[in-house]
Amino acid sequence: MEETRILLKNIGKINPVSSADYVAAGGYKGLKKAISNPEAIVDIMKDSGLRGRGGAGFPVGLKWSFTKGTPSDQKYIICNADEGEPGTNKDRILMSGDPHSLFEGMAIAGVAVGATKGFIYLRAEYPYLLPILNDAIKDAEAAGFIGKNILGSNLDFEIEIRSGAGAYICGDETALMESIEGKRGEPRYKPPFPGVSGLWGKPTIINNVETLCNVPQIIDKGAEWFRSIGTESCPGTKLFTLSGNINNPGVYEFPMGVNMRTLFKEVGGGCPGGKKLFAVQTGGASGAIINAEMLDMPMDIECCAKAGAVLGAGDLMFIDESINIIDVVENLIEFFVEESCGKCTPCREGNTRLLEFVHKFKDGTAREDDLERLIEIGSFMQVSSLCGLGQASPVPVLSAIKNFPDKFIVKSDERGQN
Amino acid sequence: MPKVYIDGTSIEVENGTTILEACEKIGVEIPTLCYLKHLNPAGSCRLCLVEVKGSRLLQTACTTPCAEGMEVTTMNQNIYNARKLVLELLLANHDDGCFSCPNNGKCDFARYCMDYDIEKSPFPRNKEFPPVDESGEFFTYDASKCILCRRCVRTCAELQCNNTYTLKGRGHETMVGLPFNQLFKTSNCVSCGNCVSVCPTGALSTKSGKKYRDWEIKKTQTTCPYCGVGCQIELHTKGNKVVGVEPLDGPANNNLLCVKGKFAYEFINHKDRLTKPMMRKGGKGSPLEEVSWDEAMSHIAEKMLAIKAESGPDSLAGFASARVTNEANYIFMKMMRAAVGTNNVDHCARLCHASTVAGLATTLGSGAMTNSISEVVDSDVILVSGSNTTETHPVIGAKMRQALLRGAKLIVAEPREIDLAKQAEIFLQIRPGTNVAFFNGMMNVVIEEDLLDKEYVENRTEGFEELKTLISEYTPEKVAEICNINAEDLRKAARLYAKAEKASIFYSMGVTQHSTGTAGVMCTSNLALLCGKIGKYGCGVNPLRGQNNVQGACDVGCLPGDYTAYQKVVNPDARAKFEKAWGVSLPDKPGLTITETIGAIESGDIRCLYVMGENPMLSDPDINHVEHALKKCEFLVVQDIFLTETAELADVVLPAGSYAETDGTFTNTERRVQLVCKAIEPVGDSREDWDIINELMDRLGYKNNFSSSSDILDELAGTSPSYGGYSFERLKKEQPQWPCPNKDHPGTPVLHIGKFSRGERAIFKPSPYIPAAELPDEEYPFVLTTGRVLYQYHTRTMTGKSEGLTNIMGTSFIEINPTDAGKLGIANSDKVKVASRRGEVTVEAHVTDKVAEGILFMPFHYKDGPANKLTNNVIDPIAKIPEYKVCAARLEKF
Ligand SMILES: Cc1cc2nc3c(=O)[nH]c(=O)nc-3n(C[C@H](O)[C@H](O)[C@H](O)COP(=O)(O)O)c2cc1C
Ligand code: SF4
Ligand code: SF4
Ligand code: SF4
Ligand code: SF4
Ligand code: FES
């Protein structure tokens, strides 16, 4: 099946640093339009139905309207380029191949809400992107697309790159802001939401790279056009990352709602060595692990949620029959034990307890009440943790228990005393 | 004003009110661990979870703001289970040695575990902890008892603003610790103990010699006896012993204390306390012997009456005290005036802020802080000069730093690179004794660059033209030369101050203790007036008074020229009023100041001196001279809690009760009158100050009608306009700032709003810069300046009894610049001999670039190496305050 290349249209085709190349390919037209009528942008974004591509799927227009509606002497636009999800590199592809589309998206956001300063919070593992991005920024500044007095409009929009702290949690929007502020990268409680009180307490829009790269074409071609792609609740395309036991791993762009089976079979080419697909983890390390029998699933936020899966940032990890699901779960919880920031009790203490129970299943020493306790703690973490990490980290194990009950065997005859 | 429903009860709350605060209002208790009033919420422990209708997640009550129509459930099985799990997860790695834990009985964590039916955690321990840190003088840190609520970390960072702690590790390994594996002893910790006070477990525990449980102790709310901040404290007593101090949420301190207030209470029950009256039965030269109260009192009365009969009332003098209550001071000055018949009453305010009282009374009409302590947090620019605030008024220092955290800018003009200087936007290291030039320079820039508040100057001041003429001479270049600073920095400072919306000036003895002290004070008000920054919130001229009740001692008339509330002795109406109130005729001539009294003793004009709670032997300038006078004094009575250096010279020594053993009031530096409450009975046979004086007055032939200090406050309120609204009853509920003329008056947080105390207009008092009286020369090439340190107080009669403080800073020292030290071959910690024209002392050298070249600094607290053997007793002609801050000295290796 053919990809629908909207975000990836320039990748590999233009000199990424050159704004002239980008303009020749139709770039910076959205920004021009935005400058001619800044008032209209937020409404266009609302009409477009674009939702955040960083994982949570929050409506972009609505998010921007909060910041627009909060008066302040200073506002910020942050691009979340932390891309911390293991195995994901969609944002890297966009930034290395078409950085101007990101700058344009940020500048439009700035113009829309009255922000004059933007930050790109770049994943620590992407230092090699720094020169490309910096050169591209210089180029765009020289051409007057960003910096002072952009396109002669009297509006300013500067972009600065900040290197990430190398911690998964710094991908969380509020931890990221703490990190930019030079503090220990730990999430803040919400509300207040960043749109109203974000970086240094100022109204701040934070969006994922992919989200922002969608913006220029929406402003240029209109909300109508955008809504014609994808599904009713999730218009547009999505970058999907296929990984795990798959013949053609990589990043592919398809309209929202593309069937998972299509992605697995036609795009991914199935499991290597003709092995049978056993399970799929969708939505990254904290996504649900579903049974291969559920493969017929349209990939958009609503449909995934209905099936107990997560679209997240569009990650699909395929797991074939040779893999022990308990090992997968163990691995994932170990990741979260490592990556928990340690601020709140449920996640800091809870993940280590989840791991202890999973070890019991691995050793075959688990008892009935261990399973109950595991589910109890996991469910507790989901509703009581401070941030998305702790709230989602039990998802893999809980979904695995639900979808593969026979893999979590307990010595039911020995109901233990605690 | 959103309306919310909490467990079905509806309540309307202010915007921004959290669910927790709303619950508090209607008496619904929510368990909390990380939450603490005055700290930014953290939302990290997750114990305060509640259900909010419509939310999939449980919400933390401490962080979630109420929204219109919100329906909150604060308890059900679901919530109970979640909170219980939080506690169980925490308990798993919490040391279970509750029986031996000093926190047992008041432990929030243990109480919550009990509330949620937890005896032991269902989870095994899965963490390792470092050994207990016992290195600090006053408290220990046991990580194995820590539940990671971070109250300590946040208190130290957000309120004390000392950033001693760090969070180590991440995730499950996260631990509260100090950076670079330091111990408390080697860290930057200033031992304020504020982290200890907020720890909900026994992880941070005071090192108290005594073992006690919370339920065995009595708690008494009172006021800290040390500096003028007036922190509210809770004294913990077991039997007749003080065993601990906890901070209270007083208007000045908001739950903060400094090391002295928190830990230096050993003096109260110290074995050296005076417990019996003593007399030299065999006359001068004979030893002090214990006698009965009756014997001592009748001897004193007899002697005083005899001297009065022979040489007249003005041959007697009294020193009241900045340390004792308003009530004791009031009755003391009443004794001198009504029973003895002299205005010879003064106290050590003379030595610290007489120039403030004289200066600001002239320019503004009232010699006190114009604004309130809490306002500093909201200032945009803070100008500190002549005050090492973080050491001398630590809680105000902490609040200044809180202001900096909120984005305020700081200007520091000080001879030493004090701690605050490191955080200053602009630090001007001025030469000691050049404050007047500095302020004139600031004003020059303000006028030159047209930054003055013209409307304010026009409508609310007089004397601008004279000011302008004088100020025109003080160009930044000239001032830079005098002060040894950079002219451009001066310009920047002036602009910063003048342009700020809310800018406050804070000063202390660095401005007042000069032969030009009054001029220095008037300059601060000149600058503030010029920029329109008096009579406004967050602004003002704020003298920081040193001792707990120095403000009060002045207010209640322990000044030779003033009755209570600055009613002048020379004013016939005022005199008539007091004559009527007291039923005696009163002298019309102002009495002698402390400094003059010492001279008058030397000359034989004063034959009897009564000293209540002061130690002029160490605190007065040129103590060789003081010693000589006191030894010469025909009859010296000292009433104190210890046998001070002064008491050792007395003919009769009377044991007084400490602040913990008396009722009364102190007035803090922001004019706030606060209660002092008796926590224990006076130790031994000691008696409360007011009670001693009350009986003595009786024996001198003047009968009061006082049966408690509350009665005294009532009389004081009746005769003093600005104190008219005070009574013990009212002060239990609220502590208004004077002027508070009647019982319905809310008090006055900001003076001079709309109108000045002195009348419609304030007056500019232009003052030329006059160099200090004694400047360095070939023989004495250094400028010696003196001051205080955080860990000691006054002449150490109280702090000297604290083992911890003695260990931290138990001996005198002198600070000298490394270049000077190098030239003289002096290394750090070397013993050096310091000499001035008046004397010589031997102390330890601290080689540090805190002081500039050519400058020496010495604390004045110490008996070993007393700085005041060296200081110059030349006085300011107006306020009669001695020039402690500048004298010429030389030093050499010992
Ligand atoms: C633990 C954690 C890690 C996250 N990491 C990322 C990330 O690497 N990149 C990203 O764009 N969003 C990440 N997010 C989501 C952000 O918090 C935020 O929702 C997103 O940046 C918003 O942008 P969007 O609306 O454009 O998706 C993470 C969230 C959590 C809780
Ligand atoms: S949920 Fe985990 S990562 Fe998030 S704040 Fe709590 S401890 Fe930190
Ligand atoms: S005692 Fe004070 S300075 Fe020391 S760590 Fe505690 S709060 Fe910080
Ligand atoms: S030491 Fe005390 S206050 Fe600090 S985090 Fe631990 S339990 Fe909380
Ligand atoms: S700041 Fe002053 S009043 Fe407060 S505790 Fe310290 S010494 Fe006492
Ligand atoms: S008290 Fe609310 S989260 Fe700790």
Side-chain angles (χ1 to χ4, degrees):
Chain A
M1 189 177 154
E2 269 299 294
E3 277 186 84
T4 307
R5 289 200 156 218
I6 290 174
L7 294 164
L8 300 179
K9 73 181 168 70
N10 289 337
I11 306 294
K13 299 202 174 126
I14 62 170
N15 171 3
V17 170
S18 161
S19 61
D21 269 28
Y22 178 65
V23 168
Y28 283 122
K29 282 202 298 205
L31 180 58
K32 277 188 197 134
K33 279 197 185 158
I35 285 172
S36 70
N37 190 3
E39 269 310 304
I41 303 171
V42 169
D43 286 335
I44 299 175
M45 292 312 296
K46 277 186 178 165
D47 291 344
S48 77
L50 174 66
R51 297 170 69 169
R53 304 297 198 232
F58 194 82
V60 174
L62 188 60
K63 185 185 273 193
W64 290 16
S65 71
F66 298 143
T67 304
K68 187 177 178 217
T70 308
S72 176
D73 56 343
Q74 177 79 61
K75 297 180 184 180
Y76 298 105
I77 309 294
I78 299 177
C79 166
N80 189 341
D82 199 46
E83 189 148 70
E85 216 50 78
T88 310
N89 60 354
K90 66 181 182 73
D91 293 342
R92 192 198 71 198
I93 290 173
L94 289 171
M95 285 186 288
S96 61
D98 195 11
H100 287 284
S101 68
L102 172 60
F103 305 160
E104 186 180 1
M106 292 176 73
I108 292 172
V111 169
V113 303
T116 53
K117 174 97 199 180
F119 290 97
I120 297 174
Y121 188 83
L122 186 65
R123 181 175 185 192
E125 286 82 357
Y126 293 166
Y128 49 90
L129 285 185
L130 265 175
I132 300 177
L133 289 172
N134 276 324
D135 289 352
I137 288 175
K138 268 191 220 119
D139 186 289
E141 277 176 352
F145 293 116
I146 57 174
K148 296 259 177 251
N149 188 18
I150 48 176
L151 296 169
S153 65
N154 270 332
L155 301 172
D156 300 339
F157 191 76
E158 287 174 19
I159 296 179
E160 191 184 314
I161 299 179
R162 291 295 178 98
S163 288
Y168 177 71
I169 192 59
C170 288
D172 169 84
E173 53 190 18
T174 54
L176 184 156
M177 290 177 199
E178 292 280 298
S179 171
I180 293 186
E181 288 180 19
K183 302 184 191 140
R184 183 177 157 102
E186 285 184 348
R188 306 172 181 169
Y189 59 84
K190 293 185 275 197
F193 292 96
V196 175
S197 171
L199 191 60
W200 289 297
K202 304 291 181 188
T204 304
I205 289 177
I206 177 159
N207 277 124
N208 171 256
V209 176
E210 184 185 341
T211 313
L212 289 163
C213 288
N214 268 300
V215 173
Q217 296 192 61
I218 292 176
I219 298 300
D220 182 30
K221 298 179 183 156
E224 244 351 74
W225 163 80
F226 191 71
R227 295 196 79 99
S228 70
I229 309 159
T231 63
E232 174 70 27
S233 66
C234 298
T237 58
K238 177 81 197 81
L239 299 182
F240 291 98
T241 306
L242 313 189
S243 66
N245 304 129
I246 189 92
N247 274 316
N248 308 318
V251 175
Y252 303 93
E253 182 174 9
F254 283 96
M256 284 279 193
V258 61
N259 198 289
M260 195 187 320
R261 183 181 297 280
T262 313
L263 291 175
F264 171 64
K265 281 251 160 76
E266 295 177 33
V267 181
C271 297
K275 288 210 186 94
K276 222 176 113 201
L277 183 69
F278 179 72
V280 188
Q281 185 180 29
T282 68
S286 60
I289 302 175
I290 60 169
N291 201 307
E293 288 159 14
M294 301 158 78
L295 203 57
D296 267 317
M297 185 189 296
M299 294 299 289
D300 81 354
I301 298 170
E302 264 62 38
C303 298
C304 283
K306 237 180 268 161
V310 194
L311 179 74
D315 302 288
L316 290 169
M317 183 174 73
F318 297 96
I319 300 163
D320 73 24
E321 56 190 353
S322 68
I323 308 266
N324 180 349
I325 209 76
I326 303 244
D327 289 345
V328 174
V329 165
E330 180 191 20
N331 237 302
L332 290 166
I333 300 178
E334 275 169 355
F335 174 76
F336 290 116
V337 167
E338 273 297 299
E339 297 298 340
S340 161
C341 80
K343 181 171 181 178
C344 75
T345 313
C347 166
R348 180 185 68 235
E349 308 295 336
N351 274 308
T352 66
R353 300 305 171 184
L354 293 184
L355 190 59
E356 284 167 8
F357 286 115
V358 168
H359 283 153
K360 288 191 182 180
F361 284 101
K362 206 176 161 180
D363 309 343
T365 56
R367 295 176 309 209
E368 183 72 32
D369 61 340
D370 287 330
L371 186 63
E372 280 167 22
R373 200 68 174 153
L374 172 52
I375 295 172
E376 189 196 348
I377 295 170
S379 317
F380 155 78
M381 290 167 63
Q382 287 186 298
V383 296
S384 65
S385 293
L386 192 155
C387 85
L389 190 148
Q391 288 162 14
S393 61
V395 168
V397 64
L398 294 181
S399 58
I401 291 173
K402 186 164 151 246
N403 295 324
F404 307 96
D406 53 336
K407 299 285 173 192
F408 290 82
I409 304 159
V410 295
K411 299 179 156 183
S412 53
D413 52 335
E414 281 180 53
R415 199 183 161 92
Q417 319 292 304
N418 232 320
Chain B
M1 292 273 287
K3 186 171 176 186
V4 294
Y5 300 85
I6 295 172
D7 300 329
T9 310
S10 76
I11 170 177
E12 235 177 276
V13 293
E14 297 277 325
N15 267 331
T17 306
T18 61
I19 295 177
L20 184 68
E21 288 161 346
C23 287
E24 217 161 67
K25 284 202 172 89
I26 56 168
V28 171
E29 210 213 326
I30 309 268
T32 57
L33 283 172
C34 67
Y35 168 82
L36 199 67
K37 197 178 161 194
H38 301 306
L39 283 179
N40 295 321
S44 63
C45 74
R46 317 303 282 179
L47 187 61
C48 65
L49 296 168
V50 295
E51 273 181 11
V52 173
K53 197 169 167 191
S55 172
R56 178 180 68 83
L57 307 172
L58 294 173
Q59 301 291 334
T60 40
C62 70
T63 65
T64 309
C66 292
E68 182 56 40
M70 198 179 236
E71 291 177 41
V72 180
T73 306
T74 66
M75 182 49 92
N76 59 27
Q77 195 59 43
N78 206 9
I79 296 169
Y80 174 90
N81 290 347
R83 291 183 188 158
K84 182 168 183 169
L85 244 176
V86 168
L87 293 167
E88 285 176 340
L89 286 169
L90 290 172
L91 185 60
N93 284 308
H94 177 82
D95 176 76
D96 46 15
C98 280
F99 285 123
S100 57
C101 178
N103 206 42
N104 185 328
K106 57 171 182 179
C107 180
D108 295 342
F109 183 55
R111 180 165 60 88
Y112 290 139
C113 285
M114 196 169 84
D115 289 352
Y116 286 81
D117 310 300
I118 303 167
E119 261 181 49
K120 65 192 257 292
S121 177
F123 306 107
R125 160 168 295 213
N126 65 0
K127 269 183 216 186
E128 298 287 321
F129 299 101
V132 180
D133 181 349
E134 297 184 315
S135 68
E137 287 298 334
F138 299 104
F139 61 89
T140 57
Y141 169 54
D142 180 354
S144 73
K145 289 196 167 73
C146 172
I147 53 161
L148 289 167
C149 68
R150 305 186 180 184
R151 285 184 185 181
C152 53
V153 183
R154 288 147 63 218
T155 297
C156 190
E158 292 173 24
L159 301 179
Q160 181 61 27
C161 306
N162 211 57
N163 286 310
T164 300
Y165 290 100
T166 186
L167 287 163
K168 317 182 82 152
R170 294 189 66 83
H172 188 240
E173 307 295 311
T174 305
M175 215 176 286
V176 166
L178 304 184
F180 316 114
N181 292 321
Q182 289 178 85
L183 298 175
F184 277 98
K185 199 185 174 84
T186 53
S187 74
N188 73 340
C189 171
V190 294
S191 298
C192 67
N194 289 319
C195 54
V196 184
S197 302
V198 298
C199 180
T201 70
L204 286 163
S205 295
T206 45
K207 278 184 176 174
S208 143
K210 269 151 239 67
K211 289 204 169 71
Y212 60 89
R213 293 287 183 225
D214 197 55
W215 58 81
E216 298 174 301
I217 56 176
K218 188 180 98 184
K219 298 173 181 177
T220 310
Q221 179 168 348
T222 188
T223 304
C224 173
Y226 287 107
C227 82
V229 178
C231 297
Q232 293 299 290
I233 57 173
E234 187 176 78
L235 275 184
H236 290 185
T237 51
K238 183 178 172 183
N240 213 44
K241 275 209 154 84
V242 175
V243 292
V245 174
E246 288 299 330
L248 291 174
D249 196 3
N253 64 311
N254 304 112
N255 283 330
L256 295 182
L257 294 178
C258 78
V259 59
K260 297 185 285 285
K262 171 77 181 166
F263 295 115
Y265 54 82
E266 274 159 81
F267 77 91
I268 299 169
N269 294 101
H270 196 270
K271 61 172 178 30
D272 291 351
R273 276 287 299 275
L274 290 172
T275 55
K276 288 251 164 34
M278 291 189 289
M279 242 170 73
R280 295 186 201 279
K281 282 182 160 173
K284 284 239 186 260
S286 71
L288 282 167
E289 292 171 63
E290 288 184 359
V291 293
S292 72
W293 273 103
D294 184 57
E295 192 176 352
M297 293 289 243
S298 48
H299 180 65
I300 297 170
E302 227 167 76
K303 273 299 265 191
M304 286 175 74
L305 289 172
I307 292 175
K308 178 179 165 185
E310 281 164 31
S311 308
D314 286 340
S315 61
L316 293 90
F319 291 172
S321 171
R323 315 269 274 276
V324 310
T325 62
N326 286 325
E327 292 67 22
N329 277 313
Y330 176 85
I331 194 172
F332 184 85
M333 75 95 196
K334 185 176 178 185
M335 170 177 83
M336 295 311 294
R337 292 192 158 115
V340 177
T342 178
N343 282 319
N344 289 342
V345 56
D346 200 5
H347 71 286
C348 70
R350 182 68 47 208
L351 309 174
C352 51
H353 274 286
S355 34
T356 291
V357 176
L360 295 185
T362 309
T363 57
L364 308 175
S366 179
M369 247 177 100
T370 58
N371 290 54
S372 311
I373 292 170
S374 61
E375 289 169 41
V376 71
V377 181
D378 291 327
S379 288
D380 302 318
V381 169
I382 303 167
L383 166 56
V384 175
S385 184
S387 163
N388 185 2
T389 321
T390 54
E391 297 211 34
T392 58
H393 299 81
V395 167
I396 296 179
K399 293 202 165 185
M400 287 177 176
R401 288 177 159 164
Q402 289 174 21
L404 301 185
L405 281 182
R406 291 177 162 209
K409 301 262 188 302
L410 177 66
I411 304 167
V412 173
E414 264 283 311
R416 292 199 301 150
E417 194 182 353
I418 55 172
D419 282 343
L420 277 180
K422 299 188 186 95
Q423 282 173 279
E425 182 85 1
I426 303 162
F427 169 46
L428 302 129
Q429 191 159 21
I430 59 172
R431 261 196 205 111
T434 62
N435 310 292
V436 171
F438 164 72
F439 278 101
N440 285 348
M442 292 280 284
M443 285 183 266
N444 181 287
V445 179
V446 169
I447 294 175
E448 211 44 47
E449 301 191 0
D450 205 27
L451 301 171
L452 65 168
D453 185 336
K454 291 202 191 78
E455 207 182 301
Y456 189 96
V457 170
E458 169 97 4
N459 297 329
R460 300 203 55 192
T461 67
E462 55 191 81
F464 175 64
E465 286 310 318
E466 293 99 283
L467 180 82
K468 199 170 158 185
T469 314
L470 178 112
I471 290 303
S472 64
E473 294 168 30
Y474 291 87
T475 61
E477 279 64 29
K478 176 174 163 186
V479 168
E481 181 76 33
I482 298 173
C483 300
N484 192 27
I485 55 176
N486 179 308
E488 208 37 51
D489 287 346
L490 180 71
R491 285 198 177 89
K492 276 193 220 145
R495 288 175 201 140
L496 193 59
Y497 173 81
K499 287 183 186 167
E501 194 189 322
K502 287 177 281 176
S504 46
I505 300 178
F506 286 83
Y507 73 84
S508 191
M509 266 101 96
V511 165
T512 61
Q513 290 177 334
H514 293 286
S515 54
T516 55
T518 307
V521 169
M522 295 199 283
C523 282
T524 62
S525 83
N526 289 345
L527 174 63
L529 287 170
L530 190 62
C531 300
K533 294 197 169 42
I534 292 184
K536 288 185 194 160
Y537 180 87
C539 298
V541 171
N542 299 295
L544 297 177
R545 311 297 299 259
Q547 306 206 51
N548 56 334
N549 200 33
V550 65
Q551 183 67 52
C554 294
D555 295 347
V556 305
C558 294
L559 296 170
D562 300 54
Y563 301 120
T564 64
Y566 309 96
Q567 303 173 83
K568 300 293 169 213
V569 163
V570 293
N571 175 350
D573 293 342
R575 198 164 60 244
K577 173 173 161 186
F578 279 91
E579 286 180 336
K580 180 152 174 270
W582 292 345
V584 289
S585 69
L586 295 170
D588 59 357
K589 182 170 91 29
L592 300 182
T593 63
I594 283 197
T595 359
E596 289 164 341
T597 302
I598 300 291
I601 298 172
E602 286 271 21
S603 67
D605 293 335
I606 299 271
R607 293 173 58 196
C608 164
L609 177 66
Y610 196 120
V611 180
M612 172 177 74
E614 294 244 304
N615 190 13
M617 267 293 291
L618 273 190
S619 60
D620 289 26
D622 190 359
I623 52 188
N624 289 337
H625 177 68
V626 175
E627 182 172 359
H628 190 253
L630 293 182
K631 278 188 175 150
K632 204 182 151 193
C633 186
E634 182 180 329
F635 187 58
L636 176 64
V637 182
V638 174
Q639 171 175 327
D640 210 316
I641 62 173
F642 288 108
L643 193 68
T644 61
E645 292 75 11
T646 307
E648 277 170 20
L649 304 178
D651 299 284
V652 185
V653 177
L654 299 177
S658 74
Y659 84 106
E661 297 143 54
T662 191
D663 290 314
T665 58
F666 290 154
T667 306
N668 79 350
T669 187
E670 55 170 350
R671 302 172 275 107
R672 191 183 297 285
V673 179
Q674 307 185 105
L675 281 181
V676 176
C677 298
K678 190 188 261 191
I680 56 172
E681 287 306 315
V683 300
D685 284 345
S686 70
R687 287 168 62 180
E688 294 178 62
D689 283 303
W690 73 267
D691 177 41
I692 300 171
I693 303 295
N694 197 31
E695 182 186 331
L696 183 58
M697 283 177 82
D698 198 6
R699 289 177 185 252
L700 292 173
Y702 186 99
K703 183 96 194 90
N704 283 310
N705 235 339
F706 299 140
S707 57
S708 68
S709 29
S710 170
D711 293 344
I712 304 180
L713 181 61
D714 292 343
E715 181 177 307
L716 168 62
T719 52
S720 324
S722 59
Y723 270 60
Y726 299 126
S727 67
F728 272 33
E729 264 330 295
R730 180 171 183 190
L731 293 173
K732 278 178 197 156
K733 296 189 283 282
E734 50 179 359
Q735 303 79 34
Q737 289 158 276
W738 65 253
C740 178
N742 57 61
K743 66 179 193 326
D744 300 317
H745 193 283
T748 313
V750 182
L751 294 180
H752 316 303
I753 293 180
K755 184 173 181 298
F756 289 92
S757 311
R758 77 183 283 275
E760 273 317 309
R761 286 161 185 275
I763 187 165
F764 287 114
K765 281 281 177 191
S767 311
Y769 162 70
I770 301 166
E774 191 180 74
L775 292 176
D777 54 22
E778 248 164 55
E779 207 183 338
Y780 296 97
F782 286 95
V783 174
L784 171 69
T785 184
T786 65
R788 294 170 276 177
V789 297
L790 171 66
Y791 299 100
Q792 295 296 347
Y793 176 77
H794 213 65
T795 58
R796 295 181 70 233
T797 49
M798 288 142 73
T799 48
K801 306 295 184 292
S802 160
E803 218 183 290
L805 290 181
T806 305
N807 289 343
I808 294 176
M809 208 162 256
T811 50
S812 191
F813 60 87
I814 190 161
E815 286 177 359
I816 176 171
N817 182 277
T819 311
D820 293 331
K823 282 185 205 150
L824 295 167
I826 292 166
N828 201 25
S829 303
D830 276 357
K831 282 259 175 248
V832 292
K833 210 163 73 186
V834 194
S836 79
R837 291 196 168 78
R838 288 148 299 275
E840 183 179 291
V841 300
T842 307
V843 287
E844 195 180 298
H846 285 187
V847 178
T848 164
D849 43 24
K850 239 179 167 174
V851 288
E853 276 177 55
I855 313 289
L856 304 170
F857 167 82
M858 261 182 97
F860 81 90
H861 311 285
Y862 297 90
K863 190 154 59 167
D864 67 313
N868 286 329
K869 264 199 167 150
L870 309 170
T871 47
N872 194 352
N873 65 356
V874 54
I875 56 176
D876 174 275
I878 306 164
K880 317 270 166 73
I881 190 169
E883 185 148 65
Y884 285 105
K885 292 289 174 186
V886 188
C887 75
R890 91 174 159 243
L891 95 173
E892 60 198 52
K893 203 164 158 173
F894 184 66

